[in-house]
Amino acid sequence: MSGDALLSIELSDVGKHFGRFQVLDHIHLRFPAGRLSALLGPSGSGKTTLLRLIAGLESPDQGVIRFAGEDVSHLHVSRRQVGFVFQHYALFKHMTVFDNVAYGLKIKPWRERPSKPVIRKRVMALLELVQLAWAAKHLPAQLSGGQRQRIALARALAVEPRVLLLDEPFGALDAQVRAQLRAWLKQLHREIAVTTLFVTHDQEEALEISDHIVIMNQGRIEQSGSPQQVYDQPANPFVCTFLGQAHQISAHLRQGVIYCGDQVVGTAAPGLSHEGAVRVYIRPHDIEVLPPDDTRSALTATLEQIAMIGPYVRLALRLHATQALIPADMTQARFAALHIAADNTVQLVIRKPHVFV
């Protein structure tokens, strides 16, 4: 393989079957060099299989996988220079933290194996990087789950991989530790700048730490792009509803204006020339609730329920035009300023309606 410091990963028409079940279906995809890319999708969507194909742990039934333009589709895993981190750490229980991190270096062929002083220097540098140098002589059982996962990352980095693959690395950890490790991983990636692929089913996790998101469903790519692109400009209803909450209302489009019954919801994105029935998806935080006497909106609803959720308020709103029930979220301060109560009629402004034919 070439010696480029950073590499892109490209998949062209990649497919994979297990028996009669098609796990990956004609995948065309590019992961940008040096970026942190998230593979996001429901269970069974093909995320882990795709990661294993890139690692070399599985072979594609069709198509080509390229690292920096070089075909590696059938290159053995040992020659791909890939670091892999699993959900359950896979650390050697009988080895110290130092020996776990050093393991990949010590088992290299003797012609490629660094000297003991070089191994020690590299391992200690990595333990400093993951903020666990103090634990070098500890056994994995003496560390917390979050600390063990950082050791697993250090071990994967020890062999100087050109690609780092993370398969649900925080899935076995509690919410507070996950949040801490997400921030830590994003900072670590800035320092090491290795092309990294991260499998998760946690939308918040993907949006928070990734530079690039690939959304998968039933072995296909639904959409890829920056976190902002896939969230603000979903390609289809699946992406819209999977990536954050969104609720559908029936509507129709006439000359670029969205109508719910005879009430105006808003305007469609430029370029949508369809006339007639459409599906409109609305996120709870994209609904602005106005007092009954506000004349800025023609869309009316009845406030049916009020729920306090920490610092936020969630309202259940019954649209007058269709009787659909939709939620709206706002801060407690905003809700207090509205001076509204259950059974009041309110006006609604929909800031970002997502329209699909």
Side-chain angles (χ1 to χ4, degrees), residues 247-249 282 287 315-319 324-328 348 350:
H247 294 264
Q248 180 186 348
I249 62 171
I282 303 168
I287 299 174
L315 308 182
L317 302 162
R318 183 75 66 181
L319 297 180
L325 189 66
I326 60 173
L348 307 180
I350 310 301

Side-chain angles (χ1 to χ4, degrees), residues 81-102:
Q81 293 179 261
V82 167
F84 208 118
V85 179
F86 300 91
Q87 178 176 338
H88 294 291
Y89 327 124
L91 299 177
F92 297 111
K93 296 179 182 179
H94 64 287
M95 291 185 183
T96 65
V97 163
F98 180 95
D99 289 335
N100 264 283
V101 176

Side-chain angles (χ1 to χ4, degrees), residues 24-341:
L24 296 174
D25 186 9
H26 298 283
I27 299 294
H28 294 270
L29 191 59
R30 182 179 184 275
F31 295 99
R35 308 294 289 278
L36 179 58
S37 297
L39 281 166
L40 180 65
S43 297
S45 59
K47 306 182 299 294
T48 293
T49 299
L50 184 57
L51 207 69
R52 289 175 66 84
L53 289 178
I54 291 168
L57 298 172
E58 303 278 355
S59 295
D61 295 330
Q62 67 177 65
V64 178
I65 301 170
R66 294 183 176 91
F67 286 5
E70 180 183 349
D71 185 350
V72 299
S73 307
H74 300 285
L75 190 68
H76 191 270
V77 60
S78 64
R79 298 182 58 202
R80 294 198 189 191
Q81 293 179 261
V82 167
F84 208 118
V85 179
F86 300 91
Q87 178 176 338
H88 294 291
Y89 327 124
L91 299 177
F92 297 111
K93 296 179 182 179
H94 64 287
M95 291 185 183
T96 65
V97 163
F98 180 95
D99 289 335
N100 264 283
V101 176
Y103 181 76
L105 297 171
K106 290 180 176 180
I107 64 169
K108 280 179 173 286
W110 70 270
R111 291 180 184 274
E112 302 172 21
R113 190 181 309 153
S115 65
K116 287 184 178 180
V118 170
I119 289 176
R120 178 166 184 80
K121 183 177 179 180
R122 174 145 187 81
V123 170
M124 292 310 298
L126 284 166
L127 290 177
E128 290 283 356
L129 184 65
V130 301
Q131 301 165 3
L132 287 169
W134 57 268
K137 295 181 179 180
H138 286 58
L139 292 173
Q142 296 173 285
L143 304 179
S144 69
Q147 289 167 340
R148 289 198 294 271
Q149 196 57 286
R150 281 152 57 191
I151 295 302
L153 276 162
R155 184 177 63 181
L157 293 170
V159 295
E160 299 183 302
R162 299 173 68 208
V163 178
L164 182 61
L165 306 177
L166 311 174
D167 188 10
E168 299 269 15
F170 308 144
L173 305 173
D174 64 46
Q176 185 175 359
V177 176
R178 283 179 74 117
Q180 292 170 351
L181 285 183
R182 285 202 296 257
W184 173 81
L185 178 61
K186 192 168 181 68
Q187 179 59 38
L188 177 69
H189 185 262
R190 289 195 191 103
E191 297 179 27
I192 61 174
V194 65
T195 303
T196 302
L197 277 56
F198 180 96
V199 164
T200 182
H201 63 268
D202 186 320
Q203 297 95 327
E204 182 180 331
E205 197 161 82
L207 289 167
E208 181 181 341
I209 71 172
S210 63
D211 306 308
H212 174 245
I213 292 181
V214 176
I215 299 177
M216 299 185 66
N217 184 38
Q218 297 181 338
R220 296 185 177 92
I221 305 301
E222 297 284 354
Q223 188 174 359
S224 66
S226 71
Q228 184 174 358
Q229 284 173 332
V230 296
Y231 189 83
D232 289 340
Q233 301 165 37
N236 53 45
F238 175 83
V239 175
C240 190
T241 54
F242 184 76
L243 202 62
Q245 279 196 316
H247 294 264
Q248 180 186 348
I249 62 171
S250 298
H252 60 277
L253 198 61
R254 189 165 68 244
Q255 296 181 338
V257 178
I258 308 164
Y259 292 91
C260 182
D262 59 356
Q263 296 187 346
V264 175
V265 175
T267 56
L272 184 60
S273 58
H274 177 80
E275 297 279 314
V278 290
R279 291 169 292 170
V280 176
Y281 290 83
I282 303 168
R283 301 194 189 280
H285 59 264
D286 285 332
I287 299 174
E288 183 178 1
V289 180
L290 306 173
D293 57 352
D294 199 301
T295 59
R296 283 178 286 169
S297 171
L299 188 62
T300 59
T302 297
L303 173 55
E304 290 200 353
Q305 295 178 8
I306 303 164
M308 300 294 179
I309 307 172
Y312 298 98
V313 179
R314 171 156 291 189
L315 308 182
L317 302 162
R318 183 75 66 181
L319 297 180
H320 289 179
T322 64
Q323 294 303 300
L325 189 66
I326 60 173
D329 292 345
M330 65 185 67
T331 64
Q332 289 200 25
R334 171 61 183 159
F335 176 70
L338 286 172
H339 302 291
I340 56 176

